[in-house]
Amino acid sequence: MTRITVIGAGFGALTAVRKLRAADRELTIDVIAPKPELVYYPSTIWIPTGLRRPEDVVVDLNPFFRRMGVNYHQASATGLRDGGRVVITDAGEVPNDGLVIASGGRFLKKLPGIEHSITPCEGVPAAVAIRDRIAAMQGGTIAFGFAGNPKEPSAMRGGPVFEFMFGIDQHLRKRGDRDRFKLVFFTPAPKPGNRLGPKAVEGLLKEMKRRDIETHLGHKLKAFEADKVITEGGEFGADLIVFMPGMTGNAWFDDTELPRSEGGLLQANELCQVVGQDKVYVAGDSGSFPGPDWLPKQAHMADLQAEAAVANLLGEFADKAPSQTYKTELICIVDTRTSGILVKRTEKRSVILPATPMFHWAKRAFEWWYLRQYR
């Protein structure tokens, strides 16, 4: 009986589980993850403004695992042996005939003073911390920013920062005290959101100007202090710093012989195979994939990569040469809490549609549609 192990419990990992089980009811599927839960990160943007509670964005996966006939191992991967045929965890070893790694990424925390900032996509506690800080503030400066991995341009996640910023701006206006706050957006990039496409840059900057959000662009970050952002182009005060650093690979990759990209992610090919490995695949933030420099680190891309990984892995067991690639596509709704801006980019074109309440409600409808398969 074929035994496949999936590492992770996020978007790519769960898509891999669904596709594996849909293809073969007899497969033995092992899932390794620290907690049997899915955090729906796209909706954490609404926690600071009260539109979502923490329990709204966390899904208990135990019922899903039972439906899928999955062997769940509550553990963290710590390494591999036997060419990936055995996953070493902090709770024992799990053998496999094929492996899908979808354990996410890790944020770079090397900037001096970064402990004075909150990284919003680190999970629900971070979003709650932002909520509580803002609730206690009666005025001041809130700084929002992001940076990348200088060795891996695609290893960044800047989009949610715009959503946190626009949503909090809207929340303060509804609260009636926006005039007592200064909002500042900062990034080393001279054209923020350029990975979304040139039209998106223009649209986002125009939206910031309309909302009276100041910008500090194109200056390398030097450090944070408890009440200050310091860059090579100057410094400015900040009572709250919301900052998304660049990403790299999981720490446990260091205890494997898996090939790494310059930025520390698992080196993958267009088939989602970890380069030079036998029946070892990767999906989502864990991997460094071929493609344009705007190839996104987002749930949608992780799902597409997981589908390709499963199709190719199962094909190998059927003595078929792997052939399925993933679609290179960036699609998102930049939400402002009451409206949304639709952005879509492919290798052929880039589209941005102006803010409308319809897109906000579309994002909320998609949340329900996506999570219903795991509840």
Side-chain angles (χ1 to χ4, degrees):
M1 185 177 293
T2 303
R3 185 169 187 173
I4 295 176
T5 295
V6 177
I7 303 177
F11 296 96
L14 298 184
T15 295
V17 169
R18 288 191 297 104
K19 295 300 179 180
L20 285 167
R21 183 53 75 216
D24 189 340
R25 297 301 303 178
E26 302 302 318
L27 277 176
T28 297
I29 304 174
D30 293 284
V31 172
I32 300 170
K35 294 181 179 180
E37 63 184 31
L38 168 66
V39 178
Y40 191 73
Y41 284 97
S43 294
T44 58
I45 60 168
W46 292 322
I47 290 177
T49 62
L51 196 58
R52 288 290 181 273
R53 301 167 299 170
E55 57 267 32
D56 296 329
V57 303
V58 179
V59 178
D60 176 9
L61 291 175
N62 283 304
F64 170 73
F65 287 154
R66 286 194 292 270
R67 292 197 305 271
M68 294 292 107
V70 163
N71 300 318
Y72 169 63
H73 304 264
Q74 187 159 4
S76 296
T78 59
L80 302 174
R81 66 175 177 84
D82 297 345
R85 294 289 72 85
V86 176
V87 180
I88 305 169
T89 80
D90 55 10
E93 298 185 347
V94 182
N96 68 80
D97 300 304
L99 177 63
V100 178
I101 300 173
S103 51
R106 176 168 52 111
F107 290 106
L108 291 167
K109 294 295 187 87
K110 296 180 179 180
L111 189 68
I114 198 170
E115 68 274 10
H116 297 301
S117 68
I118 300 175
T119 302
C121 280
E122 279 193 317
V124 170
V128 169
I130 296 171
R131 179 196 67 187
D132 294 346
R133 288 280 297 276
I134 291 174
M137 294 175 70
Q138 297 181 345
T141 299
I142 307 176
F144 300 86
F146 62 79
N149 180 336
K151 297 181 179 181
E152 188 103 12
S154 66
M156 65 181 299
R157 188 181 291 143
V161 174
F162 296 119
E163 298 185 286
F164 277 98
M165 180 173 64
F166 291 146
I168 288 170
D169 169 81
Q170 192 71 28
H171 174 64
L172 294 174
R173 292 177 189 277
K174 183 180 179 181
R175 212 168 76 170
D177 58 358
R178 173 64 174 87
D179 59 329
R180 296 205 293 267
F181 288 84
K182 176 164 56 171
L183 271 56
V184 181
F185 174 75
F186 66 97
T187 179
K191 296 181 178 180
N194 194 46
R195 296 173 73 238
L196 300 177
K199 293 181 181 178
V201 175
E202 181 182 345
L204 291 168
L205 289 174
K206 187 180 295 184
E207 184 70 12
M208 288 183 223
K209 185 176 182 179
R210 187 180 74 81
R211 293 173 177 270
D212 195 27
I213 297 173
E214 297 182 12
T215 58
H216 189 85
L217 309 176
H219 302 293
K220 184 178 179 181
L221 299 175
K222 293 179 65 178
F224 294 141
E225 294 182 4
D227 58 354
K228 192 180 298 182
V229 175
I230 305 170
T231 79
E232 289 185 349
E235 59 185 52
F236 58 90
D239 300 288
L240 171 60
I241 303 171
V242 178
F243 176 66
M244 195 88 78
M247 302 175 70
T248 187
N250 298 156
W252 70 269
F253 296 167
D254 294 340
D255 294 319
T256 74
E257 296 181 353
L258 298 177
R260 309 281 287 280
S261 68
E262 190 178 0
L265 304 176
L266 299 182
Q267 191 66 59
N269 61 20
E270 70 280 2
L271 304 170
C272 298
Q273 296 170 308
V274 178
V275 174
Q277 306 300 300
D278 177 38
K279 298 185 181 64
V280 178
Y281 286 78
V282 62
D285 292 351
S286 295
S288 176
F289 300 89
D293 58 5
W294 53 263
L295 187 69
K297 291 293 185 187
Q298 62 173 189
H300 176 59
M301 200 69 240
D303 286 341
L304 295 176
Q305 290 162 348
E307 290 183 24
V310 166
N312 290 326
L313 178 57
L314 293 178
E316 287 199 73
F317 287 117
D319 295 323
K320 297 178 182 178
S323 61
Q324 183 163 325
T325 59
Y326 49 85
K327 184 179 181 181
T328 301
E329 179 178 69
L330 186 158
I331 183 167
C332 66
I333 292 174
V334 180
D335 189 79
T336 70
R337 196 179 188 277
T338 56
S339 64
I341 304 166
L342 178 67
V343 179
K344 182 176 181 180
R345 188 174 188 180
T346 66
E347 293 186 276
K348 293 184 178 180
R349 63 176 183 161
S350 175
V351 176
I352 178 169
L353 298 181
T356 170
M358 178 180 68
F359 291 139
H360 168 75
W361 287 103
K363 192 177 183 93
R364 293 176 67 166
F366 183 81
E367 172 198 56
W368 172 84
W369 177 84
Y370 191 91
L371 291 180
R372 82 196 201 298
Q373 62 197 331
Y374 299 120
R375 294 193 187 280

